[in-house]
Coordinates of all heavy atoms in Angstrom, one line a residue:
M1 N 134.0 104.9 146.7 CA 134.1 106.4 146.5 C 134.8 107.0 147.6 O 135.0 106.5 148.7 CB 132.7 107.0 146.4 CG 131.9 106.5 145.2 SD 130.3 107.2 145.0 CE 130.8 108.9 144.6
N2 N 135.3 108.2 147.4 CA 136.0 109.0 148.4 C 135.1 109.3 149.5 O 134.1 110.1 149.3 CB 136.6 110.2 147.7 CG 137.5 111.0 148.7 OD1 137.4 110.9 149.9 ND2 138.4 111.8 148.1
K3 N 135.3 108.9 150.7 CA 134.5 109.1 151.9 C 134.5 110.6 152.4 O 133.7 111.0 153.2 CB 134.8 108.2 153.0 CG 134.6 106.7 152.7 CD 135.0 105.8 153.9 CE 134.8 104.4 153.5 NZ 135.1 103.5 154.5
H4 N 135.4 111.4 151.9 CA 135.6 112.7 152.3 C 134.9 113.7 151.3 O 135.0 114.9 151.5 CB 137.0 113.1 152.4 CG 137.8 112.2 153.4 ND1 137.6 112.3 154.8 CD2 138.7 111.2 153.2 CE1 138.3 111.4 155.4 NE2 139.0 110.7 154.4
T5 N 134.2 113.2 150.3 CA 133.5 114.0 149.4 C 132.0 113.6 149.2 O 131.7 112.5 149.7 CB 134.2 114.0 148.0 OG1 134.1 112.7 147.5 CG2 135.6 114.4 148.0
S6 N 131.2 114.4 148.6 CA 129.8 114.1 148.3 C 129.5 114.4 146.9 O 130.1 115.2 146.3 CB 128.9 114.9 149.2 OG 129.2 114.6 150.6
V7 N 128.5 113.7 146.4 CA 128.0 114.0 145.0 C 126.7 114.6 145.2 O 125.8 114.1 145.9 CB 127.9 112.7 144.2 CG1 127.3 113.0 142.8 CG2 129.3 112.0 144.0
F8 N 126.5 115.8 144.6 CA 125.3 116.5 144.7 C 124.5 116.3 143.4 O 125.1 116.2 142.4 CB 125.5 118.0 145.1 CG 126.2 118.1 146.4 CD1 127.5 118.4 146.5 CD2 125.4 118.1 147.6 CE1 128.2 118.5 147.7 CE2 126.0 118.2 148.8 CZ 127.4 118.5 148.9
P9 N 123.2 116.4 143.4 CA 122.4 116.1 142.2 C 122.8 117.0 141.0 O 122.7 116.6 139.9 CB 121.0 116.4 142.7 CG 121.0 116.1 144.1 CD 122.3 116.6 144.6
W10 N 123.2 118.3 141.3 CA 123.5 119.2 140.2 C 124.8 118.9 139.6 O 125.2 119.4 138.6 CB 123.5 120.6 140.7 CG 124.3 120.9 141.9 CD1 125.7 121.3 141.9 CD2 124.0 120.9 143.3 NE1 126.2 121.4 143.1 CE2 125.1 121.2 144.0 CE3 122.8 120.6 143.9 CZ2 125.1 121.3 145.4 CZ3 122.8 120.7 145.3 CH2 123.9 121.0 146.0
Q11 N 125.6 118.0 140.2 CA 126.9 117.6 139.7 C 126.8 116.4 138.7 O 127.7 116.1 138.0 CB 127.9 117.3 140.8 CG 128.2 118.5 141.6 CD 129.0 118.1 142.8 OE1 128.7 117.1 143.5 NE2 130.1 118.8 143.1
G12 N 125.7 115.6 138.8 CA 125.5 114.5 138.0 C 125.2 113.3 138.9 O 124.8 113.4 140.1
V13 N 125.4 112.1 138.4 CA 125.1 110.9 139.1 C 126.4 110.0 139.3 O 127.3 110.1 138.4 CB 124.0 110.0 138.5 CG1 122.7 110.8 138.5 CG2 124.4 109.6 137.0
A14 N 126.5 109.3 140.3 CA 127.6 108.4 140.5 C 127.4 107.2 139.6 O 126.4 106.5 139.5 CB 127.7 107.9 142.0
V15 N 128.5 106.9 138.8 CA 128.5 105.8 137.9 C 129.7 104.9 138.1 O 130.8 105.3 138.2 CB 128.5 106.2 136.4 CG1 128.6 105.1 135.4 CG2 127.4 107.2 136.1
R16 N 129.4 103.6 138.3 CA 130.5 102.6 138.5 C 130.8 102.0 137.1 O 129.9 101.4 136.5 CB 130.2 101.5 139.5 CG 131.4 100.6 139.7 CD 131.2 99.7 140.8 NE 132.4 98.9 141.0 CZ 132.5 98.0 141.9 NH1 131.5 97.7 142.7 NH2 133.7 97.4 142.0
K17 N 132.0 102.3 136.6 CA 132.3 101.7 135.3 C 132.6 100.2 135.4 O 132.7 99.7 136.5 CB 133.6 102.4 134.8 CG 133.4 103.9 134.6 CD 134.7 104.6 134.1 CE 135.1 104.0 132.8 NZ 135.8 104.8 131.9
A18 N 132.6 99.5 134.2 CA 132.8 98.1 134.2 C 134.1 97.7 134.8 O 134.3 96.6 135.4 CB 132.7 97.6 132.8
S19 N 135.1 98.6 134.8 CA 136.4 98.4 135.4 C 136.4 98.5 136.9 O 137.4 98.2 137.6 CB 137.4 99.4 134.8 OG 137.1 100.7 135.2
G20 N 135.3 99.0 137.5 CA 135.2 99.2 138.9 C 135.5 100.7 139.4 O 135.4 101.0 140.5
V21 N 136.0 101.5 138.4 CA 136.3 102.9 138.7 C 135.0 103.7 138.8 O 134.1 103.5 138.0 CB 137.2 103.5 137.6 CG1 137.4 105.0 137.9 CG2 138.5 102.7 137.6
W22 N 134.9 104.6 139.8 CA 133.7 105.4 139.9 C 133.9 106.8 139.2 O 135.0 107.3 139.3 CB 133.4 105.7 141.4 CG 132.9 104.6 142.1 CD1 133.6 103.6 142.8 CD2 131.5 104.2 142.3 NE1 132.8 102.7 143.4 CE2 131.5 103.0 143.0 CE3 130.3 104.7 141.8 CZ2 130.3 102.4 143.4 CZ3 129.1 104.0 142.1 CH2 129.1 102.9 142.9
R23 N 132.9 107.3 138.6 CA 132.9 108.6 137.9 C 131.6 109.3 138.2 O 130.6 108.7 138.5 CB 133.0 108.4 136.4 CG 134.3 107.8 135.9 CD 135.4 108.8 136.0 NE 136.6 108.3 135.5 CZ 137.7 108.1 136.3 NH1 137.7 108.5 137.5 NH2 138.8 107.7 135.8
V24 N 131.6 110.6 138.0 CA 130.3 111.4 138.1 C 130.0 111.8 136.7 O 130.9 112.4 136.0 CB 130.5 112.6 139.0 CG1 129.3 113.4 139.0 CG2 130.8 112.1 140.5
R25 N 128.8 111.5 136.2 CA 128.4 111.9 134.9 C 127.0 112.5 135.0 O 126.2 112.1 135.9 CB 128.4 110.7 134.0 CG 129.8 110.2 133.7 CD 129.7 109.3 132.4 NE 131.1 109.1 131.9 CZ 131.9 108.1 132.2 NH1 131.4 107.2 133.1 NH2 133.1 108.0 131.7
G26 N 126.6 113.2 134.0 CA 125.2 113.6 133.8 C 124.4 112.4 133.6 O 124.9 111.4 133.0
E27 N 123.1 112.4 134.1 CA 122.3 111.1 134.0 C 122.1 110.7 132.5 O 122.2 109.5 132.2 CB 121.0 111.4 134.6 CG 120.1 110.1 134.7 CD 118.9 110.3 135.5 OE1 118.5 111.4 135.9 OE2 118.2 109.2 135.7
V28 N 121.9 111.7 131.6 CA 121.6 111.3 130.2 C 122.9 110.7 129.6 O 122.8 109.7 128.9 CB 121.2 112.6 129.4 CG1 121.2 112.3 127.9 CG2 119.8 113.1 129.9
T29 N 124.1 111.3 129.9 CA 125.3 110.8 129.4 C 125.5 109.3 129.9 O 125.9 108.5 129.2 CB 126.5 111.7 129.8 OG1 126.3 113.0 129.3 CG2 127.8 111.1 129.3
A30 N 125.3 109.1 131.2 CA 125.4 107.8 131.8 C 124.6 106.8 131.1 O 125.0 105.7 130.7 CB 125.1 107.8 133.3
R31 N 123.3 107.1 130.8 CA 122.4 106.2 130.2 C 122.8 106.0 128.7 O 122.7 104.9 128.2 CB 121.0 106.7 130.2 CG 120.4 106.6 131.6 CD 119.0 107.1 131.7 NE 118.3 106.8 133.0 CZ 117.6 105.8 133.2 NH1 117.3 104.9 132.3 NH2 117.1 105.6 134.4
L32 N 123.3 107.0 128.0 CA 123.7 106.8 126.6 C 124.9 105.9 126.6 O 125.1 105.3 125.5 CB 124.0 108.2 126.0 CG 122.8 109.1 125.7 CD1 123.2 110.5 125.2 CD2 121.9 108.4 124.6
R33 N 125.7 105.9 127.6 CA 126.9 105.0 127.7 C 126.6 103.6 128.2 O 127.5 102.8 128.4 CB 128.0 105.6 128.5 CG 128.6 106.9 127.9 CD 129.7 107.4 128.8 NE 130.3 108.6 128.2 CZ 131.5 109.0 128.4 NH1 132.3 108.4 129.3 NH2 132.0 110.1 127.9
G34 N 125.3 103.3 128.3 CA 124.9 102.0 128.7 C 124.8 101.7 130.2 O 124.6 100.6 130.6
A35 N 124.8 102.7 131.0 CA 124.7 102.5 132.5 C 123.2 102.3 132.8 O 122.3 102.8 132.2 CB 125.2 103.8 133.2
V36 N 123.0 101.4 133.8 CA 121.7 101.1 134.3 C 121.5 101.5 135.7 O 122.5 101.5 136.5 CB 121.4 99.6 134.1 CG1 121.3 99.1 132.7 CG2 122.4 98.7 134.9
P37 N 120.3 101.9 136.2 CA 120.2 102.3 137.5 C 120.3 101.2 138.5 O 119.9 100.1 138.2 CB 118.8 102.9 137.6 CG 118.1 102.4 136.4 CD 119.1 102.0 135.4
V38 N 120.8 101.5 139.7 CA 120.9 100.5 140.8 C 120.1 101.1 141.9 O 120.2 102.2 142.3 CB 122.4 100.4 141.3 CG1 122.5 99.5 142.5 CG2 123.3 99.9 140.1
H39 N 119.1 100.3 142.4 CA 118.2 100.7 143.4 C 118.4 100.0 144.7 O 118.8 98.9 144.8 CB 116.7 100.4 143.0 CG 116.3 101.2 141.8 ND1 115.7 102.4 141.9 CD2 116.4 100.9 140.5 CE1 115.4 102.9 140.7 NE2 115.8 101.9 139.8
L40 N 118.2 100.8 145.8 CA 118.2 100.2 147.1 C 116.8 99.6 147.4 O 115.9 100.0 146.8 CB 118.5 101.2 148.2 CG 119.9 101.9 148.1 CD1 120.0 102.9 149.2 CD2 121.0 100.8 148.3
P41 N 116.7 98.6 148.3 CA 115.4 98.0 148.5 C 114.4 99.1 148.9 O 114.7 100.0 149.7 CB 115.6 97.1 149.7 CG 117.1 96.7 149.6 CD 117.7 98.0 149.1
D42 N 113.2 99.0 148.3 CA 112.1 99.9 148.6 C 112.3 101.4 148.3 O 111.7 102.2 148.9 CB 111.6 99.8 150.1 CG 111.2 98.3 150.4 OD1 110.5 97.7 149.6 OD2 111.5 97.8 151.5
D43 N 113.3 101.7 147.5 CA 113.6 103.0 147.1 C 113.3 103.2 145.6 O 114.0 102.5 144.8 CB 115.0 103.4 147.5 CG 115.3 104.9 147.3 OD1 114.4 105.6 146.7 OD2 116.4 105.3 147.7
P44 N 112.4 104.0 145.2 CA 112.1 104.1 143.7 C 113.2 104.9 142.9 O 113.2 104.8 141.7 CB 110.8 104.8 143.7 CG 110.8 105.6 144.9 CD 111.5 104.8 146.0
Y45 N 114.0 105.6 143.7 CA 115.0 106.5 143.0 C 116.4 105.7 142.9 O 116.8 105.1 143.9 CB 115.2 107.8 143.7 CG 113.9 108.6 143.8 CD1 113.2 108.6 145.0 CD2 113.4 109.2 142.7 CE1 112.0 109.3 145.0 CE2 112.2 109.9 142.7 CZ 111.5 110.0 143.9 OH 110.3 110.6 143.9
P46 N 117.1 105.9 141.8 CA 118.4 105.2 141.7 C 119.4 105.7 142.8 O 119.5 106.9 143.0 CB 118.9 105.5 140.3 CG 117.7 106.0 139.6 CD 116.7 106.6 140.6
F47 N 120.1 104.7 143.4 CA 121.2 105.0 144.3 C 122.4 105.5 143.5 O 123.1 106.4 143.9 CB 121.4 103.8 145.2 CG 122.6 104.0 146.1 CD1 122.4 104.9 147.2 CD2 123.8 103.3 146.0 CE1 123.5 105.1 148.1 CE2 124.8 103.5 146.9 CZ 124.6 104.4 147.9
C48 N 122.7 104.7 142.5 CA 123.8 105.0 141.6 C 123.5 104.4 140.2 O 122.4 103.8 140.0 CB 125.1 104.6 142.2 SG 125.3 102.8 142.3
Y49 N 124.4 104.4 139.3 CA 124.3 103.7 138.0 C 125.5 102.8 137.9 O 126.6 103.1 138.4 CB 124.2 104.8 136.9 CG 122.9 105.4 136.8 CD1 122.6 106.5 137.7 CD2 122.0 105.1 135.9 CE1 121.4 107.1 137.6 CE2 120.7 105.7 135.8 CZ 120.4 106.7 136.7 OH 119.2 107.3 136.6
K50 N 125.3 101.8 137.1 CA 126.4 100.8 136.8 C 126.5 100.5 135.3 O 125.5 100.3 134.7 CB 126.0 99.5 137.6 CG 127.0 98.4 137.4 CD 126.6 97.2 138.1 CE 127.5 96.0 137.8 NZ 127.1 94.8 138.5
E51 N 127.7 100.7 134.8 CA 127.9 100.4 133.4 C 128.0 98.9 133.2 O 128.6 98.2 134.0 CB 129.2 101.1 132.8 CG 129.0 102.6 132.7 CD 130.2 103.2 132.0 OE1 131.2 102.5 131.7 OE2 130.2 104.4 131.9
I52 N 127.3 98.4 132.2 CA 127.4 97.0 131.9 C 128.4 96.7 130.8 O 128.4 97.4 129.8 CB 126.0 96.5 131.4 CG1 124.9 96.8 132.4 CG2 126.0 95.0 131.0 CD1 125.1 96.2 133.7
P53 N 129.4 95.8 131.0 CA 130.4 95.6 130.0 C 129.8 95.2 128.7 O 128.8 94.4 128.6 CB 131.2 94.4 130.6 CG 130.8 94.2 131.9 CD 129.5 94.9 132.1
S54 N 130.3 95.7 127.6 CA 129.8 95.3 126.3 C 130.5 94.1 125.6 O 131.4 93.6 126.0 CB 129.8 96.5 125.3 OG 131.0 97.2 125.4

């Protein structure tokens, strides 16, 4: 991701597409497109989402 920017919760969630490209999408949209949450150790909240290739 661009180190000079930040993603804020009201903008959506960070999603890594199967191609490796990062996008910001609404959480519902990300899940509807098949993205799954990625968690850091001992953190119950998703760090980002990752699309699984179909």
Side-chain angles (χ1 to χ4, degrees):
M1 294 186 68
N2 185 340
K3 294 179 182 181
H4 302 289
T5 62
S6 298
V7 176
F8 298 100
W10 56 86
Q11 294 171 313
V13 295
V15 178
R16 185 171 185 183
K17 297 178 62 151
S19 66
V21 175
W22 288 92
R23 295 285 182 242
V24 175
R25 292 200 164 89
E27 185 175 8
V28 172
T29 302
R31 287 180 175 264
L32 288 173
R33 292 183 179 202
V36 295
V38 176
H39 295 271
L40 297 176
D42 301 321
D43 189 351
Y45 301 104
F47 177 71
C48 66
Y49 285 78
K50 178 180 175 183
E51 288 186 359
I52 304 298
S54 43

